[in-house]
Amino acid sequence: MPAETESAALPDAVPTDPVPSLTHARDGQVELDPSNPFAQPSDLPYGLPPLDRVDVDSFRPAILAGIAQQRAEWEAIATDPAPVTFANTLEALERSGELLARATRTFWVYTSSVGGAELDALDAELSPLLSAHWDSFELDPRLLARYDALAAAVEDGSHPPLEPEAAWLLHRRREVARRAGVGLDEAGTARLRELNAEITARQTEFGQRVVAGMAAAAVAVDSEEELAGLSEGDRAALHRSAVDRGSAADHLVTLILPTPQPVLVDADSRELRRRVQRASESRGSGVDQASDTREAILALARARAERARLLGYPHHAAYVAAGATAGSTEAVMGILTQLAAPAVRNARAEAEDLQVSLAVDVPGATLEAADWAHYAERVRRERYDVDLAALRPYFELGRVLEDGVFWTATQLYGLTFTERFDLPTYADGMRVWEVRDADGAGLGLFLGDYYAREGKRGGAWMTSFVNSSRLLGTRPVVTNTLNVPRPPEGEPTLLTWDEVNTAFHEFGHALHGLLSDATYPSLSGTAVPRDFVEYPSQVNEMWATHPEVMARYARHHATGEPLAADVVARLQEAARYGEGFRTTEYLGAALLDQAWHQLTPEEVPTDVADVAAFEAQALSRYGVDVPQVPPRYRSTYFNHTFGGGYDAGYYSYIWSEVLDADTQAWFEEGENGGLDAARGRRFREALLSRGHTGDPLGFFRDLRGRDADLTPLLVRRGLQ
């Protein structure tokens, strides 16, 4: 969902009454059957959708009726004969589309977190309609004319001065409209609409094929020898996966979205590791026709490149960077290439250590990508006396959340969390908490969807059912989604150390939504440039290793015994081991993203067989072609960039980490290593509450009193 286009105008391509059999007209308005769960605002706390009444059949009529209703609302705004004012133009646009917002936000949650053939088909049908719907907001010259007239009236004094947030909203609307292509001629506009529709359809196709690819690539295990090294809990989880998915095998290794797979850490069987690694890296490459993503990749790269040229940019990467805080492709490539050489140097040094360890088990063998995680863990254990697998009993999901993630938010921001058992969810095992501020006032709801299941998209993310807005009087309802294997009934959910960090990370996004104090919904919460949105979430990761926080949540699930202080210290030291690998695999993906999106339409390969060759050439060109360190995402399952959302923007993580590392240094200057209410209050006021109500980098400068310093990042990643 484009954060800046939740309030958009309606395309001419959408019929006035798209589904006559499901809606009826009265006084020129299209109405939805009142039995539909989206027909009226929810009467549940904070507007939580009535998820117990939502099913696949709820979405199509609600979304199509919402499109038709919003068409009438925006047409009235565009043709209003009264003098242009902020109230009858921008405020009216912000108030429009409530039905569509209710339906689409829930629809996006379901397509990513529930999935299934029916939802996939519906997503493929509705996504182009929604894309065209948002196009018209940005491409309607009548609306841009009203923005320009309002700006002129404010400037000459015939309209009252605007409050800062309102002035920023006007600035953003004018900027977005012009970047979207309002100035194109009729033929150019028509072609732009076609390209946008094609891009949306192909992104949907790519995302669905990635999910299918994860399912198809699951690795069946029947041999007891291949399970060597895995704990009883891991074996039970793999058996449950086989049962849940109807596999004939005794155990089934299901895949997560990135290239590295968790099972590789503990599996002693090199054959199993190789099978899982091959399965992971081959996804989408034609091994399974139904999940082959290569044609979609080429079509997307070509369509995005053509659209960028139409809008006056040399390529899609330039278009994206110009609308983000980076400002230019040169700035993006500057930081990526600056980090590449030292990262690869560190990765190669790490590989030498691992090669020595491998030779003990398999004399004469050469280190492969499938070996890396296993021997990195062995070296980590030997060097720092830390066995990450042995620590899992200390990371029980409920305790990590309540005594770690939530407790930290209480100390920093005064928030309290009360679990609600009376509110509906969309999946078994989900939990809901009501969040209150320090004064007891309700802030919103937080939903946790932590377990992997068939049909669910891989990875971890934050979404919103309801955005905070003072204009609309709404408070946020946000979700965090992970993909933790569900244990057998009655067994505790024990997290890996990576999953602990992910829980803190995603809750940083949730805080960005929960603490938003924006007036206008399109500027609320995480609706910031994509190269800024990861900043608050990455800052929140720092608390996972704070000694006082760990002392509360890192306790044995059965005995309550805390993780020993010396183990915590070694864990923190060990966490820095492997930065060469982590930085190199990340840069491989980020540079691939840039390589695909710096092509002109003519430069995009035409044969699906060329996808792998293009990828190999790009990695070689940027010097990150380390065979044992494949990119975190290969092109064929790079959902961030080809599924939409981070296209030409995967650099955002490292870009945001510059701000994050600098901010961590600021926190650590405070009382108790920064875990104090004064620093939390300042960070909340300067960053978390602001959404996109002004220049994001200006918010950072307001916090730090200067621009970001790269040094803390280089030190953190061992690249100085």
Side-chain angles (χ1 to χ4, degrees):
M1 177 184 67
E4 295 172 345
T5 53
E6 289 178 359
S7 298
L10 197 73
D12 294 336
V14 178
T16 303
D17 187 9
V19 196
S21 62
L22 297 175
T23 62
H24 63 276
R26 185 178 67 189
D27 300 328
Q29 297 295 312
V30 176
E31 296 183 359
L32 184 62
D33 188 316
S35 66
N36 188 287
F38 301 111
Q40 299 296 327
S42 172
D43 58 4
L44 293 175
Y46 304 95
L48 174 72
L51 300 174
D52 52 341
R53 296 199 296 119
V54 172
D55 58 27
V56 176
D57 293 335
S58 306
F59 292 115
R60 188 171 187 268
I63 289 173
L64 293 174
I67 287 175
Q69 288 183 10
Q70 206 165 31
R71 177 177 194 144
E73 291 171 330
W74 286 328
E75 187 65 21
I77 295 168
T79 58
D80 187 347
V84 174
T85 65
F86 183 86
N88 69 18
T89 302
L90 290 176
E91 185 175 309
L93 287 170
E94 293 290 308
R95 291 183 182 278
S96 68
E98 291 190 19
L99 167 59
L100 187 61
R102 289 195 299 270
T104 53
R105 289 192 186 114
T106 305
F107 181 60
W108 287 316
V109 171
Y110 273 57
T111 56
S112 61
S113 299
V114 178
E118 287 184 273
L119 276 168
D120 286 351
L122 191 59
D123 194 15
E125 174 195 348
L126 294 180
S127 289
L129 290 179
L130 288 166
S131 175
H133 180 62
W134 292 316
D135 271 353
S136 284
F137 173 69
E138 297 170 345
L139 295 175
D140 190 336
R142 299 173 301 173
L143 292 177
L144 179 58
R146 291 182 73 86
Y147 307 155
D148 289 343
L150 177 58
V154 170
E155 186 175 353
D156 67 22
S158 60
H159 188 286
L162 300 179
E163 294 292 328
E165 187 178 339
W168 179 260
L169 177 62
L170 174 58
H171 161 73
R172 289 293 302 148
R173 288 305 187 197
R174 297 176 77 194
E175 181 181 72
V176 168
R178 289 193 167 88
R179 275 176 48 79
V182 171
L184 294 174
D185 60 20
E186 185 175 347
T189 299
R191 180 57 182 155
L192 181 60
R193 289 181 185 274
E194 292 171 356
L195 289 169
N196 286 343
E198 179 184 359
I199 288 167
T200 299
R202 287 292 193 172
Q203 287 175 173
T204 300
E205 175 194 348
F206 184 91
Q208 292 176 356
R209 286 176 176 263
V210 165
V211 172
M214 284 196 295
V219 177
V221 184
D222 286 312
S223 163
E224 184 66 25
E225 290 76 12
E226 287 194 317
L227 296 173
L230 302 183
S231 69
E232 289 302 317
D234 288 338
R235 294 182 184 208
L238 297 184
H239 177 66
R240 176 165 182 155
S241 293
V243 172
D244 288 349
R245 288 160 177 76
S247 172
D250 291 334
H251 299 81
L252 190 70
V253 178
T254 57
L255 303 189
I256 62 172
L257 190 59
T259 301
Q261 300 298 317
V263 73
L264 299 181
V265 174
D266 296 320
D268 289 336
S269 167
R270 197 180 197 205
E271 177 56 30
L272 177 61
R273 296 199 306 268
R274 282 173 158 172
R275 289 207 292 137
V276 171
Q277 185 73 26
R278 284 195 299 270
S280 180
E281 290 193 55
S282 66
R283 285 174 287 167
S285 61
V287 174
D288 171 67
Q289 186 175 358
S291 60
D292 190 343
T293 59
R294 293 174 298 171
E295 183 181 347
I297 288 170
L298 299 181
L300 277 165
R302 193 172 299 109
R304 287 170 176 169
E306 183 182 346
R307 181 176 63 181
R309 175 181 288 172
L310 193 61
L311 295 172
Y313 294 85
H315 43 64
H316 183 64
Y319 170 76
V320 169
T325 63
S328 70
T329 306
E330 290 72 24
V332 171
M333 295 303 293
I335 191 169
L336 295 180
T337 55
Q338 180 180 351
L339 297 174
V344 168
R345 183 171 61 247
N346 287 4
R348 294 192 188 282
E350 292 165 10
E352 292 176 4
D353 286 343
L354 307 189
Q355 179 66 54
V356 172
S357 189
L358 170 66
V360 174
D361 290 348
V362 191
T366 300
L367 185 74
E368 300 173 4
D371 301 316
W372 192 290
H374 185 73
Y375 288 98
E377 178 58 18
R378 180 180 294 185
V379 169
R380 184 184 289 108
R381 284 199 303 266
E382 293 170 352
R383 187 169 297 176
Y384 303 102
D385 193 21
V386 173
D387 181 353
L388 292 181
L391 299 183
R392 287 183 64 180
Y394 292 85
F395 303 142
E396 190 273 322
L397 173 61
R399 189 150 209 162
V400 169
L401 292 174
E402 295 180 355
D403 294 338
V405 174
F406 295 169
W407 184 82
T408 303
T410 300
Q411 303 310 300
L412 291 170
Y413 312 115
L415 308 185
T416 57
F417 301 80
T418 303
E419 189 159 10
R420 297 285 300 260
F421 300 97
D422 58 325
L423 298 177
T425 62
Y426 57 81
D428 184 39
M430 286 183 64
R431 300 173 70 182
V432 183
W433 290 267
E434 183 172 10
V435 186
R436 293 188 176 273
D437 215 336
D439 61 1
L443 273 180
L445 294 178
F446 173 72
L447 285 73
D449 177 7
Y450 294 105
Y451 293 118
R453 56 183 169 270
E454 191 171 9
K456 186 178 181 182
R457 177 164 63 86
W461 61 92
M462 170 265 193
T463 49
S464 297
F465 281 113
V466 182
N467 285 344
S468 175
S469 166
R470 282 189 273 124
L471 176 71
L472 302 181
T474 54
R475 298 304 306 163
V477 177
V478 304
T479 74
N480 273 178
T481 303
L482 274 66
N483 271 277
V484 178
R486 191 164 188 176
E489 195 69 32
E491 294 294 317
T493 302
L494 304 180
L495 304 183
T496 65
W497 178 236
D498 279 348
E499 288 165 345
V500 171
N501 281 280
T502 299
F504 276 86
H505 175 99
E506 295 305 329
F507 194 72
H509 286 306
L511 287 169
H512 206 178
L514 287 166
L515 298 180
S516 177
D517 192 31
T519 298
Y520 306 106
S522 68
L523 302 179
S524 178
T526 58
V528 295
R530 71 183 73 176
D531 60 3
F532 192 81
V533 75
E534 296 298 334
Y535 164 42
S537 57
Q538 290 176 185
V539 168
N540 206 59
E541 287 184 52
M542 70 176 285
W543 306 115
T545 54
H546 190 283
E548 189 171 349
V549 180
M550 288 197 76
R552 295 186 62 85
Y553 78 78
R555 291 176 174 267
H556 196 282
H557 72 92
T559 67
E561 175 191 3
L563 195 60
D566 64 314
V567 177
V568 172
R570 294 198 305 273
L571 176 63
Q572 292 170 333
E573 187 177 0
R576 290 186 285 272
Y577 175 75
E579 282 295 354
F581 173 88
R582 285 190 288 272
T583 307
T584 300
E585 68 153 6
Y586 165 78
L587 290 174
L591 288 163
L592 271 182
D593 178 33
Q594 288 295 311
W596 280 110
H597 291 116
Q598 289 181 26
L599 297 175
T600 66
E602 296 78 17
E603 292 171 336
V604 176
T606 56
D607 190 328
V608 295
D610 294 332
V611 169
F614 176 85
E615 179 175 295
Q617 291 164 5
L619 295 174
S620 175
R621 180 166 72 251
Y622 295 124
V624 289
D625 53 335
V626 182
Q628 303 95 331
V629 189
R632 183 164 179 80
Y633 302 98
R634 288 205 177 276
S635 304
T636 51
Y637 48 92
F638 201 168
N639 201 54
H640 282 74
T641 189
F642 292 114
Y646 280 79
D647 41 293
Y650 194 65
Y651 76 89
S652 301
Y653 289 90
I654 203 77
W655 187 269
S656 293
E657 195 179 348
V658 175
L659 307 177
D660 149 41
D662 199 344
T663 301
Q664 179 173 345
W666 172 80
F667 263 113
E668 290 171 346
E669 294 166 3
E671 297 288 335
N672 192 24
L675 188 64
D676 67 87
R679 294 267 161 167
R681 184 166 53 251
R682 181 74 186 108
F683 188 62
R684 174 177 179 172
E685 292 169 351
L687 268 303
L688 294 177
S689 68
R690 304 294 295 275
H692 198 190
T693 59
D695 172 21
L697 292 183
F699 299 157
F700 177 86
R701 286 189 289 270
D702 182 39
L703 178 74
R704 293 296 273 135
R706 56 167 173 75
D707 289 329
D709 182 2
L710 183 62
T711 304
L713 172 65
L714 298 177
V715 172
R716 173 192 287 181
R717 288 190 171 251
L719 302 177
Q720 72 270 36

